[in-house]
mmCIF file with all atom_site columns, all heavy atoms in Angstrom:
data_model
loop_
_atom_site.group_PDB
_atom_site.id
_atom_site.type_symbol
_atom_site.label_atom_id
_atom_site.label_alt_id
_atom_site.label_comp_id
_atom_site.label_asym_id
_atom_site.label_entity_id
_atom_site.label_seq_id
_atom_site.pdbx_PDB_ins_code
_atom_site.Cartn_x
_atom_site.Cartn_y
_atom_site.Cartn_z
_atom_site.occupancy
_atom_site.B_iso_or_equiv
_atom_site.pdbx_formal_charge
_atom_site.auth_seq_id
_atom_site.auth_comp_id
_atom_site.auth_asym_id
_atom_site.auth_atom_id
_atom_site.pdbx_PDB_model_num
ATOM 1  N N   . ALA A 1 41  ? 33.090 9.186  -3.711  1.00 0.00 ? 41  ALA A N   1
ATOM 2  C CA  . ALA A 1 41  ? 33.195 9.210  -2.247  1.00 0.00 ? 41  ALA A CA  1
ATOM 3  C C   . ALA A 1 41  ? 31.870 9.069  -1.552  1.00 0.00 ? 41  ALA A C   1
ATOM 4  O O   . ALA A 1 41  ? 31.681 8.191  -0.722  1.00 0.00 ? 41  ALA A O   1
ATOM 5  C CB  . ALA A 1 41  ? 33.854 10.550 -1.819  1.00 0.00 ? 41  ALA A CB  1
ATOM 6  N N   . GLY A 1 49  ? 33.446 3.026  9.157   1.00 0.00 ? 49  GLY A N   1
ATOM 7  C CA  . GLY A 1 49  ? 33.410 1.662  9.688   1.00 0.00 ? 49  GLY A CA  1
ATOM 8  C C   . GLY A 1 49  ? 34.746 1.365  10.332  1.00 0.00 ? 49  GLY A C   1
ATOM 9  O O   . GLY A 1 49  ? 35.662 2.198  10.267  1.00 0.00 ? 49  GLY A O   1
ATOM 10 N N   . VAL A 1 83  ? 21.173 19.262 -10.871 1.00 0.00 ? 83  VAL A N   1
ATOM 11 C CA  . VAL A 1 83  ? 20.551 19.371 -9.570  1.00 0.00 ? 83  VAL A CA  1
ATOM 12 C C   . VAL A 1 83  ? 19.355 20.391 -9.627  1.00 0.00 ? 83  VAL A C   1
ATOM 13 O O   . VAL A 1 83  ? 18.318 20.142 -9.055  1.00 0.00 ? 83  VAL A O   1
ATOM 14 C CB  . VAL A 1 83  ? 21.582 19.759 -8.478  1.00 0.00 ? 83  VAL A CB  1
ATOM 15 C CG1 . VAL A 1 83  ? 20.826 20.000 -7.156  1.00 0.00 ? 83  VAL A CG1 1
ATOM 16 C CG2 . VAL A 1 83  ? 22.587 18.698 -8.326  1.00 0.00 ? 83  VAL A CG2 1
ATOM 17 N N   . PRO A 1 132 ? 25.668 35.411 16.171  1.00 0.00 ? 132 PRO A N   1
ATOM 18 C CA  . PRO A 1 132 ? 27.109 35.512 16.149  1.00 0.00 ? 132 PRO A CA  1
ATOM 19 C C   . PRO A 1 132 ? 27.878 34.251 15.794  1.00 0.00 ? 132 PRO A C   1
ATOM 20 O O   . PRO A 1 132 ? 28.984 34.252 15.380  1.00 0.00 ? 132 PRO A O   1
ATOM 21 C CB  . PRO A 1 132 ? 27.481 35.972 17.547  1.00 0.00 ? 132 PRO A CB  1
ATOM 22 C CG  . PRO A 1 132 ? 26.317 35.664 18.423  1.00 0.00 ? 132 PRO A CG  1
ATOM 23 C CD  . PRO A 1 132 ? 25.117 35.757 17.489  1.00 0.00 ? 132 PRO A CD  1
ATOM 24 N N   . ILE A 1 143 ? 27.754 20.401 20.420  1.00 0.00 ? 143 ILE A N   1
ATOM 25 C CA  . ILE A 1 143 ? 26.490 21.006 20.691  1.00 0.00 ? 143 ILE A CA  1
ATOM 26 C C   . ILE A 1 143 ? 25.886 20.448 21.996  1.00 0.00 ? 143 ILE A C   1
ATOM 27 O O   . ILE A 1 143 ? 25.240 21.137 22.781  1.00 0.00 ? 143 ILE A O   1
ATOM 28 C CB  . ILE A 1 143 ? 25.485 20.815 19.546  1.00 0.00 ? 143 ILE A CB  1
ATOM 29 C CG1 . ILE A 1 143 ? 26.045 21.464 18.263  1.00 0.00 ? 143 ILE A CG1 1
ATOM 30 C CG2 . ILE A 1 143 ? 24.136 21.353 19.902  1.00 0.00 ? 143 ILE A CG2 1
ATOM 31 C CD1 . ILE A 1 143 ? 26.183 22.968 18.311  1.00 0.00 ? 143 ILE A CD1 1
ATOM 32 N N   . PRO A 1 156 ? 27.537 13.386 39.661  1.00 0.00 ? 156 PRO A N   1
ATOM 33 C CA  . PRO A 1 156 ? 27.901 14.702 40.260  1.00 0.00 ? 156 PRO A CA  1
ATOM 34 C C   . PRO A 1 156 ? 29.391 14.860 40.340  1.00 0.00 ? 156 PRO A C   1
ATOM 35 O O   . PRO A 1 156 ? 30.158 13.874 40.604  1.00 0.00 ? 156 PRO A O   1
ATOM 36 C CB  . PRO A 1 156 ? 27.229 14.655 41.628  1.00 0.00 ? 156 PRO A CB  1
ATOM 37 C CG  . PRO A 1 156 ? 26.092 13.714 41.464  1.00 0.00 ? 156 PRO A CG  1
ATOM 38 C CD  . PRO A 1 156 ? 26.594 12.679 40.534  1.00 0.00 ? 156 PRO A CD  1
ATOM 39 N N   . ALA A 1 170 ? 24.226 10.133 19.144  1.00 0.00 ? 170 ALA A N   1
ATOM 40 C CA  . ALA A 1 170 ? 24.224 11.547 18.731  1.00 0.00 ? 170 ALA A CA  1
ATOM 41 C C   . ALA A 1 170 ? 22.805 12.104 18.755  1.00 0.00 ? 170 ALA A C   1
ATOM 42 O O   . ALA A 1 170 ? 22.232 12.370 17.705  1.00 0.00 ? 170 ALA A O   1
ATOM 43 C CB  . ALA A 1 170 ? 24.889 11.728 17.374  1.00 0.00 ? 170 ALA A CB  1
ATOM 44 N N   . LEU A 1 220 ? 14.469 28.142 34.319  1.00 0.00 ? 220 LEU A N   1
ATOM 45 C CA  . LEU A 1 220 ? 13.747 29.437 34.007  1.00 0.00 ? 220 LEU A CA  1
ATOM 46 C C   . LEU A 1 220 ? 12.738 29.758 35.093  1.00 0.00 ? 220 LEU A C   1
ATOM 47 O O   . LEU A 1 220 ? 12.531 30.959 35.408  1.00 0.00 ? 220 LEU A O   1
ATOM 48 C CB  . LEU A 1 220 ? 13.043 29.330 32.670  1.00 0.00 ? 220 LEU A CB  1
ATOM 49 C CG  . LEU A 1 220 ? 13.913 29.193 31.458  1.00 0.00 ? 220 LEU A CG  1
ATOM 50 C CD1 . LEU A 1 220 ? 13.140 28.911 30.170  1.00 0.00 ? 220 LEU A CD1 1
ATOM 51 C CD2 . LEU A 1 220 ? 14.822 30.434 31.275  1.00 0.00 ? 220 LEU A CD2 1
ATOM 52 N N   . VAL A 1 221 ? 12.149 28.784 35.743  1.00 0.00 ? 221 VAL A N   1
ATOM 53 C CA  . VAL A 1 221 ? 11.210 29.039 36.819  1.00 0.00 ? 221 VAL A CA  1
ATOM 54 C C   . VAL A 1 221 ? 11.915 29.211 38.138  1.00 0.00 ? 221 VAL A C   1
ATOM 55 O O   . VAL A 1 221 ? 11.605 30.107 38.917  1.00 0.00 ? 221 VAL A O   1
ATOM 56 C CB  . VAL A 1 221 ? 10.167 27.909 36.870  1.00 0.00 ? 221 VAL A CB  1
ATOM 57 C CG1 . VAL A 1 221 ? 9.262  28.066 38.134  1.00 0.00 ? 221 VAL A CG1 1
ATOM 58 C CG2 . VAL A 1 221 ? 9.297  27.923 35.643  1.00 0.00 ? 221 VAL A CG2 1
ATOM 59 N N   . ALA A 1 282 ? 7.827  15.880 49.087  1.00 0.00 ? 282 ALA A N   1
ATOM 60 C CA  . ALA A 1 282 ? 8.540  15.552 50.379  1.00 0.00 ? 282 ALA A CA  1
ATOM 61 C C   . ALA A 1 282 ? 9.719  14.629 50.087  1.00 0.00 ? 282 ALA A C   1
ATOM 62 O O   . ALA A 1 282 ? 10.816 14.790 50.673  1.00 0.00 ? 282 ALA A O   1
ATOM 63 C CB  . ALA A 1 282 ? 7.605  14.886 51.380  1.00 0.00 ? 282 ALA A CB  1
ATOM 64 N N   . ASP A 1 322 ? 22.041 -4.414 27.728  1.00 0.00 ? 322 ASP A N   1
ATOM 65 C CA  . ASP A 1 322 ? 22.926 -3.950 26.715  1.00 0.00 ? 322 ASP A CA  1
ATOM 66 C C   . ASP A 1 322 ? 22.196 -4.170 25.375  1.00 0.00 ? 322 ASP A C   1
ATOM 67 O O   . ASP A 1 322 ? 21.105 -4.660 25.274  1.00 0.00 ? 322 ASP A O   1
ATOM 68 C CB  . ASP A 1 322 ? 24.282 -4.696 26.774  1.00 0.00 ? 322 ASP A CB  1
ATOM 69 C CG  . ASP A 1 322 ? 24.189 -6.195 26.485  1.00 0.00 ? 322 ASP A CG  1
ATOM 70 O OD1 . ASP A 1 322 ? 23.256 -6.645 25.770  1.00 0.00 ? 322 ASP A OD1 1
ATOM 71 O OD2 . ASP A 1 322 ? 25.072 -6.927 26.922  1.00 0.00 ? 322 ASP A OD2 1
ATOM 72 N N   . HIS A 1 343 ? 19.966 -6.565 -0.239  1.00 0.00 ? 343 HIS A N   1
ATOM 73 C CA  . HIS A 1 343 ? 20.948 -5.515 -0.633  1.00 0.00 ? 343 HIS A CA  1
ATOM 74 C C   . HIS A 1 343 ? 21.757 -6.011 -1.795  1.00 0.00 ? 343 HIS A C   1
ATOM 75 O O   . HIS A 1 343 ? 22.193 -7.169 -1.874  1.00 0.00 ? 343 HIS A O   1
ATOM 76 C CB  . HIS A 1 343 ? 21.837 -5.204 0.566   1.00 0.00 ? 343 HIS A CB  1
ATOM 77 C CG  . HIS A 1 343 ? 22.752 -4.023 0.370   1.00 0.00 ? 343 HIS A CG  1
ATOM 78 N ND1 . HIS A 1 343 ? 24.009 -4.133 -0.206  1.00 0.00 ? 343 HIS A ND1 1
ATOM 79 C CD2 . HIS A 1 343 ? 22.577 -2.742 0.678   1.00 0.00 ? 343 HIS A CD2 1
ATOM 80 C CE1 . HIS A 1 343 ? 24.555 -2.937 -0.239  1.00 0.00 ? 343 HIS A CE1 1
ATOM 81 N NE2 . HIS A 1 343 ? 23.661 -2.109 0.305   1.00 0.00 ? 343 HIS A NE2 1
#
Side-chain angles (χ1 to χ4, degrees):
V83 176
I143 299 297
L220 293 174
V221 172
D322 65 25
H343 189 271

